[in-house]
């Protein structure tokens, strides 16, 4: 039987090798076996994404759990965070911070626009009470790549902590944590890293990690400081999602073998194929080419189609596309190309889309 191809931005189709890893033996998380597994994942994360002066902390849960851990562990109640918002996930950062009593100031842009750098600089100059800056690397809402490096340079110049949600970026887009001046970077297993849902992580600059000890804890489960301490000593704080850890360990081994650079290029080829094919079918794109990521293509729904009809007809042919969010929901659809999927399979998707558009 032909497998269903997931064209949603995670969870993704995984390789057979990662699937087999999920079936490794039953282990207790208070034994050496688990300590070794955890150490392997944490060091592979650094090898893949952050070679120098960083540590990694694993959080069982989806990407949002790690994001909430990073935000709530790095700022005290009442401290001020400037959040750059141009999509659903930027809004999510602001929402999480507010729920934790952080004083949020948001600088918003249209969802189809890049953030206004001079405006961010002006706010940093005028408001000295801002402690930190946060933004999304790859806005999954639209597939827009944000100027992380430029915003990071502003954060550094003004001596602010810089927190980045790269949950849909890491593994799919180039990101040099040092060059971008990132202090905390959030990622997850089941997007471009090609693991399965259940575990996410935060890459934390060593010097930043030391400063987190002074932040008043407001979560038992999501304290980065406590989790890091426990993970360094080989025992997780609470029961981890062990099969997801197995999957992440194998997925990282695979990523390192493929090379992060090579993976981003593989994804770039896939998105180029999709864009070429969809463009030839007369579909129009939400974003100009220079804003687009390697992994998400947002397109206007073809005339005469609702998202539901387009989705259902493609699903019947074995392809799962993804809806737009917020005010874009009625007019767009998204096609993601993350995961262990071949160019031939993306070509089959273009063929299926051609059939659907022609038979309508
Ligand atoms: C997927 C995603 C998240 C987290 O979503 P979960 O469902 O919690 O894994 C957060 N931010 C961005 C940018 C994402 O793409």
């Amino acid at each position: 039987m032909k497998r269903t191809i997931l064209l949603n931005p995670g969870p993704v189709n995984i390789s057979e090798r990662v699937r087999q890893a999920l079936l490794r033996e039953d282990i207790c998380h208070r034994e050496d076996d688990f300590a070794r597994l955890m150490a392997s994942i944490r060091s592979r994360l650094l090898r893949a994404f952050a070679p120098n002066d960083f540590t990694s902390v694993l959080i069982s849960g989806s990407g949002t759990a790690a994001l909430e851990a990073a935000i709530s562990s790095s700022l005290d109640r009442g401290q001020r965070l400037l959040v750059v918002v141009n999509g659903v996930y930027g809004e999510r950062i602001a929402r999480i911070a507010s729920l934790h009593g952080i004083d949020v100031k948001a600088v918003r842009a249209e969802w189809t626009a890049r953030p206004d750098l001079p405006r961010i600089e002006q706010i940093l100059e005028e408001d000295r009470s801002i402690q930190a800056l946060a933004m999304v690397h790859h806005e999954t809402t639209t597939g827009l790549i944000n100027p992380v490096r430029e915003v990071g340079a502003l954060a550094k110049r003004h001596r602010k902590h810089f927190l980045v949600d790269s949950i849909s970026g890491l593994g799919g887009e180039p990101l040099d944590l040092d060059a971008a001046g990132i202090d905390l970077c959030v990622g997850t297993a089941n997007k471009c890293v090609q693991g399965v849902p259940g575990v996410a992580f935060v890459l934390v600059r060593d010097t930043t990690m030391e400063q987190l000890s002074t932040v008043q804890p407001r979560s038992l489960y999501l304290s980065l400081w406590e989790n890091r301490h426990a993970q360094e000593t080989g025992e997780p704080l609470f029961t981890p999602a062990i099969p997801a850890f197995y999957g992440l360990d194998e997925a990282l081994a695979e990523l390192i073998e493929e090379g992060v650079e090579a993976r981003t290029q593989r994804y770039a080829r896939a998105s180029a194929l999709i864009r070429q094919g969809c463009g030839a079918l007369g579909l129009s794109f939400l974003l100009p080419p220079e804003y687009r990521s390697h992994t998400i293509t947002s397109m206007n729904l073809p005339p005469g189609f609702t998202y539901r009809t387009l989705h259902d007809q493609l699903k019947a042919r074995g392809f799962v596309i993804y809806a737009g969010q917020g005010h874009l929901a009625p007019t767009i659809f998204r096609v993601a190309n993350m995961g262990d999927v071949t160019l031939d399979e993306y070509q089959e998707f273009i063929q299926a889309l051609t059939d659907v558009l022609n038979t309508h």
Side-chain angles (χ1 to χ4, degrees):
M1 200 188 82
K2 250 180 126 131
R3 63 175 183 165
T4 297
I5 301 298
L6 299 179
L7 302 170
N8 50 293
V12 299
N13 289 109
I14 54 171
S15 68
E16 206 41 47
R17 179 172 157 189
V18 170
R19 190 182 315 286
Q20 288 306 318
L22 302 178
L23 306 176
R24 285 187 209 162
E25 66 180 332
D26 304 335
I27 53 169
C28 169
H29 63 297
R30 303 276 173 223
E31 295 291 323
D32 285 350
D33 318 83
F34 186 77
R36 276 194 299 276
L37 173 63
M38 193 163 54
S40 167
I41 293 173
R42 293 180 68 223
S43 75
R44 281 174 173 165
L45 278 172
L46 298 186
R47 243 177 95 190
F49 300 122
N52 298 313
D53 310 324
F54 274 80
T55 187
S56 59
V57 186
L58 304 172
I59 303 284
S60 286
S62 81
T64 306
L67 184 62
E68 185 155 1
I71 295 167
S72 62
S73 301
S74 56
L75 287 156
D76 271 310
R77 209 179 287 280
Q79 285 191 316
R80 186 165 288 182
L81 174 69
L82 181 63
V83 186
V84 178
V85 178
N86 58 349
V88 167
Y89 296 94
E91 291 292 353
R92 184 176 295 181
I93 294 177
R95 173 101 178 108
I96 291 171
S98 299
L99 287 171
H100 285 276
I102 294 162
D103 180 10
V104 173
K105 192 160 180 164
V107 51
R108 291 191 167 81
E110 294 292 324
W111 287 6
T112 51
R114 282 188 179 143
D116 181 348
L117 296 172
R119 174 97 188 100
I120 295 169
E121 167 121 65
Q122 188 193 1
I123 294 170
L124 289 173
E125 258 154 30
E126 287 172 4
D127 186 347
R128 302 290 160 144
S129 67
I130 292 168
Q131 314 270 337
L133 238 93
M135 76 186 299
V136 175
H137 173 205
H138 173 209
E139 244 311 344
T140 314
T141 315
T142 53
L144 183 147
I145 290 296
N146 270 319
V148 169
R149 212 171 155 143
E150 290 80 349
V151 174
L154 294 178
K156 277 294 115 356
R157 184 147 9 112
H158 293 269
R159 299 173 189 285
K160 312 297 178 198
H161 274 300
F162 188 34
L163 187 155
V164 172
D165 167 354
S166 187
I167 292 176
S168 65
L170 284 175
E173 301 293 331
L175 183 63
D176 181 332
L177 299 192
D178 247 336
I182 297 173
D183 298 303
L184 299 112
C185 185
V186 185
T188 198
N190 61 271
K191 293 191 184 181
C192 305
V193 175
Q194 297 185 184
V196 299
V199 56
F201 55 87
V202 188
L203 307 170
V204 189
R205 196 178 285 279
D206 288 329
T207 50
T208 305
M209 194 74 226
E210 294 318 311
Q211 293 163 12
L212 300 190
S213 65
T214 63
V215 176
Q216 199 63 35
R218 16 200 184 348
S219 167
L220 183 70
Y221 195 85
L222 297 177
S223 162
L224 275 191
W225 179 258
E226 295 294 338
N227 274 286
R228 199 289 288 253
H229 181 73
Q231 291 173 17
E232 288 287 304
T233 61
E235 282 200 28
L237 274 185
F238 305 107
T239 312
I242 293 172
F245 276 58
Y246 280 149
L248 177 56
D249 189 40
E250 200 63 39
L252 286 167
E254 228 175 35
L255 173 61
I256 290 164
E257 282 169 33
E258 180 177 2
V260 175
E261 173 77 27
R263 174 157 310 172
T264 62
Q265 285 165 11
R266 172 162 66 82
Y267 284 168
R269 284 192 295 277
S271 58
L273 183 156
I274 290 166
R275 288 162 196 174
Q276 209 273 326
C278 291
L281 288 170
L283 290 164
S284 60
F285 302 97
L286 181 69
L287 298 176
E290 66 274 18
Y291 289 8
R292 294 178 207 156
S293 70
H294 291 142
T295 54
I296 293 179
T297 304
S298 292
M299 287 171 277
N300 295 307
L301 285 164
F305 280 88
T306 62
Y307 173 74
R308 192 37 62 192
T309 53
L310 185 64
H311 166 275
D312 291 356
Q313 293 185 42
L314 287 166
K315 178 91 185 275
R317 288 166 171 80
F319 299 92
V320 175
I321 59 168
Y322 211 51
Q325 287 162 293
H327 68 272
L328 295 173
T331 53
I332 73 159
F333 69 106
R334 290 177 286 174
V335 174
N337 57 276
M338 300 171 181
D340 187 60
V341 178
T342 63
L343 286 179
D344 281 347
E345 286 168 314
Y346 290 121
Q347 194 58 58
E348 286 165 23
F349 163 67
I350 296 299
Q351 192 51 55
L353 184 59
T354 307
D355 292 347
V356 168
L357 295 184
N358 286 342
T359 56
H360 192 58

